[in-house]
């Protein structure tokens, strides 16, 4: 990340403390120490501010999570009230509290049909590790202990804990920790733009879905426990599956009695235009994982939602379920998440993302497709991607070492916009509260920065 030249002594002080003592996620620390970290000090609405007084339009809603925008009093007050009344109590030993009970009931109202029971964790990664344990336990309880292999996809991102990272198909994550663990396998993902070649999107959707069937038959259905996937792959490059894909996946999972665990960490809470990506894309999950938008990032909280197939088995077991975190259903996190869901409902943010706001966002995104550097734009609801390519027609990409996306992101930072680069795929996922005027600003800046990178690479 290109940090601004530090002007103030205060910024320098924070950068020095940070460089000396803070191990950052997914960061090359030598590089960071040389540049100094950007210090973010406050945020309001769709804007964040750094310690040098620069204002940036946050086109990524933090890390795909701040649905309601920054600085919402309702959420701060809900957290403050819970901190005063019940700053902590656990949910072990036959105990509950109003915040987690009410949040669970609210989630049953908004999650996809049949998902009615919830286990709480503190991050999307913990949610997925918990889901893997639930999947294993389910098949043990069903007296089919051989059903253990879990199939996930290339370019999937499911988090960083041991099982979540094993599910992830971003292979750069694996060697440092000797992953994946045994019992996790990966199949091709429906990346039509990158891998579809001359095939129609529809045919490619069927082909990549059938890769699941082929893998199940290769392993033997009696050995396959579950298929795990994001509705739209986020961190893997905003891969939106062709319309034929998910119907076929539903059919295959049903046919071979393979559980379908859908990772809604990015797609949940209105991002795709309905409450969950499963609703928008026609997915029939047995269980889902959610985090990020659950609290709009205001508190660390995640939840695994269970449909009746798994839920009935776990809830009717005579045996104690040996799993749970100190902070499962933490009262402050639950209070804030509940206030967040109420605010999303009150302001009709899901309806807006699926209606006028989402339509305006998609219109502005599509307008970028005429740029000579843009091979494709794609999106849904309030999420979008821009492919920067060498050849629009053949979809040929730039050489990796040119770092076109990375350099475009640098221009964005320097010009007051946060836009994520995944290779040369630029990604946007702004707060759902963004106004049309703010979207005009966002896409004006995005075009300007794509112009800058186009100029830059034409002189290399
Ligand atoms: N599942 C999905 C689909 C995610 O996107 C996780 C699980 C893990 O959540 P936690 O809360 O453990 O981080 C994620 C997280 C990026 C980026 O740069 C994306 C995520 C996290 C950090 C960075 O796109 N997604």
């Amino acid at each position: 990340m290109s940090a601004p030249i530090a002007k103030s002594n205060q910024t320098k002080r924070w950068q020095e403390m940070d460089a000396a003592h803070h191990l950052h996620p997914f960061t090359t620390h030598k590089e960071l120490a040389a540049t100094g970290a950007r210090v973010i000090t406050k945020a309001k609405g769709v804007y964040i501010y750094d310690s040098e007084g620069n204002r940036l339009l946050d086109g990524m809603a933090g890390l795909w999570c701040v649905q309601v925008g920054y600085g919402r009093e309702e959420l701060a007050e809900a957290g403050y009230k819970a901190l005063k009344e019940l700053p902590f109590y656990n949910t072990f030993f036959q105990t509950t509290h109003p915040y987690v009970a009410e949040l669970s009931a609210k989630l049953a109202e908004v999650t996809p049909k049949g998902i009615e029971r919830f286990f709480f964790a503190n991050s999307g990664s913990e949610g997925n590790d918990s889901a893997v344990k639930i999947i294993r336990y389910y098949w043990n309880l069903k007296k089919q202990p051989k059903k253990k292999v879990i199939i996930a996809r290339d370019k999937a991102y499911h988090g960083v804990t041991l099982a979540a990272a094993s599910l992830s198909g971003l292979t750069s994550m694996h060697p440092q920790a000797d992953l994946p663990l045994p019992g996790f396998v990966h199949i091709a993902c429906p990346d039509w733009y990158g891998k579809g070649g001359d095939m129609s999107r529809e045919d490619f959707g069927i082909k990549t879905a059938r890769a699941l069937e082929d893998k199940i038959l290769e392993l033997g259905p009696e050995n396959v426990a579950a298929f795990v996937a994001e509705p739209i792959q986020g961190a893997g490059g905003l891969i939106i599956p062709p319309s034929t894909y998910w119907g076929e996946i539903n059919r295959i999972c049903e046919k071979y009695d393979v559980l379908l665990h859908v990772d809604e960490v990015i797609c949940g809470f209105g991002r795709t235009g309905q409450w969950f990506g499963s609703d928008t894309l026609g997915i029939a999950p047995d269980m889902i994982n959610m985090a990020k938008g659950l609290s709009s990032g205001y508190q660390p909280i995640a939840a695994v939602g269970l449909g009746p197939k798994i839920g009935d088995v776990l809830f009717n077991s005579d045996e104690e379920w040996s799993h749970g975190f100190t902070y499962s259903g933490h009262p402050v996190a639950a209070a804030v998440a509940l206030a967040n869901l109420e605010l999303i409902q009150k302001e009709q943010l899901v309806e807006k993302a699926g209606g006028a706001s989402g339509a305006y966002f998609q219109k502005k995104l599509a307008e970028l497709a005429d740029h000579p550097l843009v091979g494709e734009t794609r999106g849904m609801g309030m999420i979008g991607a821009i492919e920067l390519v060498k050849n629009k027609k053949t979809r040929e990409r730039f050489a990796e070492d040119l770092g076109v996306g990375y350099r475009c992101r640098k221009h964005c930072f320097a010009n007051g916009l946060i836009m994520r680069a995944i290779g040369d795929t630029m990604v946007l996922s702004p707060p759902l509260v963004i106004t049309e005027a703010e979207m005009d600003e966002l896409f004006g800046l995005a075009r300007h920065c794509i112009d800058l990178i186009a100029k830059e690479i034409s002189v290399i």
Side-chain angles (χ1 to χ4, degrees):
M1 167 160 161
S2 66
I5 307 294
K7 294 181 202 110
S8 78
N9 286 335
Q10 180 59 274
T11 300
K12 277 191 200 143
R13 233 186 106 241
W14 282 326
Q15 287 179 333
E16 279 164 17
M17 292 194 283
D18 192 80
H21 304 294
H22 179 191
L23 189 66
H24 288 244
F26 286 92
T27 294
T28 309
H29 285 82
K30 260 190 179 170
E31 191 184 289
L32 180 66
T35 54
R38 181 185 295 275
V39 184
I40 304 300
T41 48
K42 60 180 185 176
K44 183 83 187 158
V46 299
Y47 296 100
I48 63 168
Y49 298 82
D50 69 22
S51 56
E52 296 294 306
N54 296 301
R55 187 184 88 158
L56 295 121
L57 200 169
D58 185 4
M60 280 305 292
L63 269 179
W64 328 71
C65 53
V66 187
Q67 319 295 73
V68 298
Y70 297 97
R72 302 304 303 260
E73 289 292 326
E74 296 90 334
L75 273 61
E77 268 161 25
Y80 182 57
K81 192 164 162 273
L83 276 166
K84 281 200 301 186
E85 272 176 18
L86 186 68
F88 176 69
Y89 203 70
N90 67 70
T91 51
F92 290 53
F93 319 126
Q94 304 192 343
T95 303
T96 193
H97 52 74
Y99 307 101
V100 74
E102 292 199 22
L103 177 62
S104 304
K106 175 61 79 183
L107 281 174
E109 194 188 300
V110 300
T111 48
K113 200 165 157 275
I115 306 284
E116 297 207 339
R117 288 137 161 168
F118 304 91
F119 170 75
F120 292 95
N122 309 290
S123 69
S125 302
E126 284 181 13
N128 277 326
D129 267 53
S130 301
V132 167
K133 288 178 76 175
I134 290 171
I135 290 163
R136 291 184 173 186
Y137 185 39
Y138 170 83
W139 288 117
N140 287 340
L141 283 172
K142 294 289 285 180
K143 308 264 182 292
Q144 295 187 65
K146 273 179 70 192
K147 258 175 126 49
K148 285 290 154 56
V149 179
I150 300 186
I151 302 174
R153 298 180 299 179
D154 296 342
K155 295 194 181 180
Y157 187 77
H158 296 294
V160 294
T161 43
L162 287 173
S166 297
L167 289 171
S168 295
L170 293 164
T171 44
S172 59
M173 293 167 65
H174 291 159
Q176 289 181 357
D178 308 323
L179 296 172
L181 297 172
F184 292 83
V185 300
H186 295 85
I187 57 170
C189 65
D191 175 14
W192 177 82
Y193 192 79
K195 296 268 173 356
D198 294 335
M199 280 186 111
S200 72
R201 284 174 204 261
E202 290 71 22
D203 288 350
F204 187 70
I206 296 288
K207 183 181 161 204
T208 41
R210 297 261 167 88
L212 175 62
E213 189 160 33
D214 294 345
K215 186 54 85 178
I216 292 171
L217 292 172
E218 178 196 320
L219 296 164
E222 69 284 5
N223 298 315
V224 180
F227 177 58
V228 178
E230 303 153 78
I232 291 173
Q233 284 173 258
L238 209 83
I239 298 163
I240 303 181
S243 58
T244 45
Y245 183 77
W246 273 112
E248 193 62 6
I249 294 286
N250 289 335
R251 179 190 71 75
I252 293 165
C253 289
E254 168 103 46
K255 179 169 176 192
Y256 298 102
D257 200 11
V258 166
L259 295 173
L260 177 53
H261 171 49
V262 177
D263 187 345
E264 295 270 9
V265 166
I266 284 179
C267 293
F269 305 100
R271 181 56 62 197
T272 64
Q274 297 195 47
W275 271 95
F276 286 85
S278 293
D279 303 321
T280 314
L281 287 110
I283 309 171
D286 291 305
M287 64 197 294
I288 64 174
N289 183 33
M290 64 202 109
K292 296 191 188 277
L294 169 56
S295 70
S296 281
Y298 279 55
Q299 284 287 297
I301 183 167
V304 180
L306 307 178
K309 184 167 170 172
I310 303 173
D312 288 350
V313 171
L314 260 68
F315 272 62
N316 289 313
S317 170
D318 294 324
E319 188 180 68
E320 176 178 291
W321 184 43
S322 300
H323 182 72
F325 305 105
T326 301
Y327 299 136
S328 283
H330 190 285
V332 179
V336 172
L338 183 61
N340 172 60
L341 299 185
E342 285 167 354
L343 193 58
I344 290 176
Q345 285 185 319
K346 186 172 139 226
E347 298 191 346
Q348 299 191 307
L349 297 182
V350 177
E351 292 76 5
K352 284 181 183 158
S357 286
Y360 194 75
F361 180 82
Q362 294 303 326
K363 174 176 156 288
K364 299 295 292 184
L365 176 71
E367 282 170 14
L368 289 174
D370 67 2
H371 196 286
L373 210 63
V374 175
E376 177 186 72
T377 62
R378 57 177 177 270
M380 196 173 270
M382 293 292 262
I383 203 166
I386 305 155
E387 293 284 358
L388 304 181
V389 290
K390 191 168 172 191
N391 187 323
K392 271 172 100 91
K393 230 171 156 187
T394 61
R395 318 205 291 257
E396 187 193 348
R397 294 185 186 278
F398 290 105
E400 216 172 291
D401 57 5
L402 267 181
V404 170
Y406 178 71
R407 286 203 261 165
C408 181
R409 189 184 74 165
K410 273 187 165 176
H411 285 301
C412 292
F413 275 125
N415 285 276
L417 173 66
I418 298 197
M419 179 156 70
R420 170 102 166 76
I422 301 171
D424 294 344
T425 309
M426 305 309 295
V427 175
L428 290 164
S429 170
L432 303 184
V433 291
I434 190 168
T435 63
E436 290 193 2
E438 288 161 346
M439 287 192 246
D440 290 344
E441 184 188 345
L442 186 163
F443 284 103
L445 287 170
R447 183 177 285 275
H448 175 61
C449 295
I450 296 170
D451 282 343
L452 291 176
I453 184 71
K455 246 183 238 156
E456 195 177 306
I457 53 182
S458 69
V459 295
I460 286 171

